[in-house]
Amino acid sequence: NPCNLLSLSGFDNTCDLSAVLGILSNASVFHACIQTNAKDVRSKVRNEWGHCNFDHWTEPEFQNCFQLMETLIRSLGLPKADKDKELDNLHDWETKGE
């Protein structure tokens, strides 16, 4: 579940990823780089996948999207252990589909 990537307190597996990305990209309490990274993930990953055109999903595009998600995770300023866990989860999702 992509929502697991955000492991924010109070969010569970029923969270709506688009809403979380909307909050991260629009709430002024978040640093500008977090807002920009969340906007990129929302528009270039989540929205593209949500309105999937399989011709769009080439290997380079797939890799780019995972890089955008990694950049967002790194920009959140999570404690190292949490950041490493989420990056491991992202890598597993990328390589194993889990």
Side-chain angles (χ1 to χ4, degrees):
N1 183 334
C3 291
N4 290 339
L5 294 175
L6 294 176
S7 291
L8 298 171
S9 178
F11 288 95
D12 61 19
N13 288 337
T14 64
C15 77
D16 179 272
L17 184 58
S18 184
V20 172
L21 291 169
I23 292 167
L24 289 172
S25 64
N26 293 306
S28 61
V29 298
F30 295 106
H31 190 278
C33 73
I34 293 173
Q35 292 178 321
T36 299
N37 294 336
K39 285 176 188 174
D40 284 347
V41 169
R42 187 175 191 189
S43 68
K44 297 175 183 173
V45 181
R46 191 268 168 217
N47 288 351
E48 283 292 336
W49 186 251
H51 307 284
C52 191
N53 172 357
F54 288 103
D55 293 333
H56 172 82
W57 290 98
T58 62
E59 184 65 25
E61 185 60 27
F62 179 82
Q63 293 301 319
N64 181 57
C65 287
F66 274 92
Q67 183 60 49
L68 290 170
M69 291 185 284
E70 180 178 330
T71 299
L72 174 59
I73 292 168
R74 290 183 184 283
S75 73
L76 292 173
L78 299 171
K80 183 176 178 358
D82 292 336
K83 178 186 73 177
D84 290 348
K85 177 182 175 225
E86 298 312 328
L87 291 173
D88 286 346
N89 288 340
L90 182 63
H91 181 71
D92 283 349
W93 187 30
E94 178 181 12
T95 59
K96 301 174 190 173
E98 297 176 359

